[in-house]
């Protein structure tokens, strides 16, 4: 019996959802492994080394491997750079950190064979969002993605949750590093040398022995002003920002059944979770004297482990809560299936979450083995975010990419400045916010710049993408349509493009003989078409 024919539409669908759109290389890989085989290979997680060309591009971005302390030292705020120049030293601008990180994100998404890993890193960073726009976070975001997000996207949810909770980027972004027990003295003194904890103690499990060696109070640098200026006077008091977002965004969801009292109790549990020297050598640090030692009650459960373990006990409770399972299942189903995911699918994925103790690979597999994921009505129903659109355009055209500032700026013009989402909610996860006239015009302009060779750092060879049956306008529209869209363009798109070509030809013939078919215009309009905006 002959093997079943390769289902190109099914392959395109899976590459639209588990990857950043089809590329010639990945389509060939799906054809080689089969659709289910390719999905399983992606679920296995990153294995082989990155392609040498991609590795070389990433190695040319030195900030990617630097520690937070190194970044703070070598890419300081303006005042420190000016002083360094007076001292005969030249230091780099912090903006270069964001540029290199955004460049790496684009390059990995375009060229990495571990496409699903890159999709997950994007998803989970958005779920646990922090913004480089907030003060010292700009020196922490590189480590946050590299050390807290990426290593855990195929692991257990509890490990991912804990890694984000303890990272200085989250502690600073949601102000928990300043949160102290009620009644704490306003002026903090520095602990005597013998009370200082070593980094290993500070990162310990919070047991009584470790706490006895913890630093009683943060050094003066730990209360530096958020804008990078001089030292700010400590402002003791309970801060509920992280507790609220932990419950509403990271775990239970807005309808998760918690109350304002739960928010306050969670905030009490996380008092003392702070940062040592946030603008010089940021690292997680538990400040014992800032912690509220009294018993807390969260969602009806008593929290009395003591010290840092209070926060860890809260994370244990939330990571295993049924509301968290439903919230995470809903968000994953919304990202990979539909803006309005079927309730039955959400319940099955939530059950997989609970039954596996939050094993994310098991959860993903439950999602991708569901009939709802493969249903014909799920295909082409979601609108790409600007990042997904730009990367899918680069992949579809087979562009050679060396990221330049113009490319990153294009994303900001479309409404998605990388690593700078303005709110803890991250960038929108549904289609409606991305469908507006300004964003669509920006997408069309990007498309035309890309295929015409006017986008710095990119090069596209359209002639190598398609071989039309005839050299007519119709032949090129159909051939490039199949190459870029994965299917023939709709009759409406085809008619729109042919009308644009005819109008341009009429304008040209008024002055001179009509030239060859403008395949750059065809490709640009195809990338700007409604079909290409969808996944």
């Amino acid at each position: 019996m002959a093997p079943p024919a390769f289902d190109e539409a099914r392959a395109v669908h899976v590459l639209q959802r588990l990857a950043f759109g089809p590329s010639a290389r990945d389509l060939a890989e799906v054809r080689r492994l089969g659709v289910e085989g390719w999905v399983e290979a992606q679920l296995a997680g990153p294995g082989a080394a990155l392609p040498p060309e991609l590795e070389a591009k990433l190695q040319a971005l030195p900030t990617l491997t630097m520690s937070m302390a190194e970044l703070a030292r070598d890419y300081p705020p303006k005042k420190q750079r000016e002083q360094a120049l007076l001292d005969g030293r030249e230091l780099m601008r912090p903006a270069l950190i964001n540029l290199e990180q955004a460049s790496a994100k684009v390059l990995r998404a375009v060229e990495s064979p571990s496409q699903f890993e890159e999709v997950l890193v994007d998803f989970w960073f958005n779920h646990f969002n922090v913004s480089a726009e907030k003060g010292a976070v700009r020196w922490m975001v590189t480590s946050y993605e590299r050390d807290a997000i990426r290593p855990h996207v195929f692991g257990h949810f509890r490990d991912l949750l804990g890694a984000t909770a303890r990272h200085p980027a989250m502690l600073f972004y949601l102000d928990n590093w300043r949160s102290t027990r009620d009644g704490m003295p306003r002026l903090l003194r520095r602990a005597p040398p013998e009370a200082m904890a070593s980094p290993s103690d500070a990162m310990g499990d919070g047991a009584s022995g470790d706490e006895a060696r913890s630093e009683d109070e943060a050094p003066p640098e730990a209360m530096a002003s958020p804008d990078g200026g001089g030292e700010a006077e400590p402002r003791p008091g309970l801060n509920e920002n992280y507790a609220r977002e932990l419950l509403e965004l990271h775990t239970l969801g807005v309808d998760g059944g918690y109350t304002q009292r739960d928010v306050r109790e969670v905030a009490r549990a996380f008092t003392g979770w702070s940062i040592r020297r946030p603008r010089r050598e940021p690292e997680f640090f538990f400040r014992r004297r800032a912690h509220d030692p009294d018993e807390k009650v969260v969602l009806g459960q008593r929290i009395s482990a003591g010290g840092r373990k209070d926060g860890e006990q809260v994370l244990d409770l939330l990571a295993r809560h049924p509301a968290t399972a439903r919230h995470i299942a809903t968000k994953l189903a919304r990202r990979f299936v539909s803006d309005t995911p079927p309730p039955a699918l959400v319940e099955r994925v939530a059950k997989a979450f609970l039954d596996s103790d939050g094993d994310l690979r098991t959860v993903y597999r439950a999602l991708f083995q569901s009939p709802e994921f493969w249903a014909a009505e799920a295909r082409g129903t979601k609108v790409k975010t600007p990042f997904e659109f730009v990367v899918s355009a680069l992949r579809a055209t087979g562009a050679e990419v060396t990221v330049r500032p113009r490319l990153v700026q294009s994303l900001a013009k479309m409404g998605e400045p990388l690593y700078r989402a303005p709110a803890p909610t991250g960038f929108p996860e549904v289609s409606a916010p991305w469908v507006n006239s300004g964003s669509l015009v920006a997408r069309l302009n990007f498309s035309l710049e890309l295929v015409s060779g006017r986008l710095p750092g990119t090069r596209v060879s359209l002639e190598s993408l398609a071989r039309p049956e005839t050299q007519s306008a119709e032949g090129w529209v159909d051939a490039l349509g199949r190459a870029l869209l994965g299917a023939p363009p709709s009759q409406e798109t085809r008619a729109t493009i042919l009308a644009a070509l005819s109008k341009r030809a009429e304008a040209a013939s008024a002055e001179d003989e009509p030239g060859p078919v403008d395949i750059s215009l065809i490709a640009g309009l195809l990338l700007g078409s409604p079909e290409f905006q969808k996944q």
Side-chain angles (χ1 to χ4, degrees), residues 181-467:
R181 60 183 170 83
D182 287 336
M184 182 150 183
R186 183 167 182 78
L187 295 177
L188 304 180
R189 64 175 177 83
R190 187 165 182 168
E194 61 271 17
M196 296 289 191
S198 68
S200 58
D201 291 334
M203 293 298 288
D205 63 4
S208 57
D210 284 337
E211 288 182 20
R213 296 190 298 273
S214 294
E215 183 179 355
D216 286 345
E217 309 299 351
E221 295 89 340
M223 291 297 182
S225 61
D227 63 1
E231 302 300 330
E233 184 177 318
R235 291 174 291 183
L238 192 65
N239 189 297
E240 298 179 357
N241 288 356
Y242 175 67
R244 182 172 293 103
E245 307 306 356
L246 174 65
L247 297 174
E248 179 178 332
L249 302 180
H250 301 171
T251 57
L252 304 178
V254 67
D255 299 319
Y258 64 89
T259 66
Q260 174 56 33
R261 180 173 181 179
D262 290 316
V263 172
R264 184 170 181 80
E265 295 292 277
V266 169
R268 290 178 57 220
F270 282 98
T271 49
W273 283 49
S274 191
I275 309 171
R276 187 202 299 269
R277 300 165 65 91
R279 293 196 168 274
R280 299 189 185 182
E281 300 172 291
E283 62 179 349
F284 175 85
F285 191 76
F286 180 73
R287 295 194 291 125
R288 180 173 60 83
R289 286 194 179 181
H291 181 67
D292 184 336
D294 295 337
E295 182 180 84
K296 299 92 182 169
V297 178
V298 177
L299 301 174
Q301 299 292 315
R302 291 184 177 182
I303 305 296
S304 57
R308 173 182 160 180
K309 282 188 174 180
D310 284 351
E312 298 288 355
Q313 190 173 343
V314 169
L315 296 179
D316 289 341
L317 170 64
L318 296 176
R320 295 171 173 85
H321 198 281
T324 297
R326 286 193 298 273
H327 182 55
I328 299 303
T330 299
K331 291 197 68 173
L332 286 167
R334 185 181 296 136
R335 167 61 182 83
F336 290 102
V337 178
S338 167
D339 284 1
T340 54
L345 172 63
V346 171
E347 289 304 315
R348 290 199 306 276
V349 175
K351 184 176 186 302
F353 184 102
L354 293 172
D355 291 348
S356 66
D357 195 26
D359 178 70
L360 294 175
R361 189 177 277 107
T362 299
V363 174
Y364 305 147
R365 186 171 281 111
L367 189 63
F368 302 138
Q369 290 179 349
S370 71
E372 291 90 343
F373 174 79
W374 296 104
E377 55 268 25
R379 300 181 185 182
T381 56
K382 290 185 61 65
V383 172
K384 298 172 183 174
T385 66
F387 178 66
E388 291 165 346
F389 164 72
V390 165
V391 173
S392 64
L394 295 170
R395 285 169 57 80
T397 56
E400 297 179 23
V401 182
T402 304
V403 179
R404 296 285 186 266
R406 178 85 162 273
L407 179 56
V408 176
Q409 292 161 5
S410 296
L411 284 162
K413 288 181 180 179
M414 297 177 204
E416 192 174 8
L418 298 182
Y419 303 105
R420 295 176 183 273
T425 48
F427 291 113
E429 299 170 327
V430 295
S431 303
W434 302 117
V435 184
N436 59 75
S437 58
S439 177
L440 294 178
V441 167
R443 293 185 185 212
L444 180 57
N445 290 337
F446 171 86
S447 302
L448 294 170
E449 284 190 334
L450 170 64
V451 297
S452 64
R454 292 184 284 114
L455 186 66
T458 63
R459 188 171 66 177
V460 173
S461 174
L462 295 176
E463 289 81 359
S464 65
L465 285 178
R467 295 179 180 176

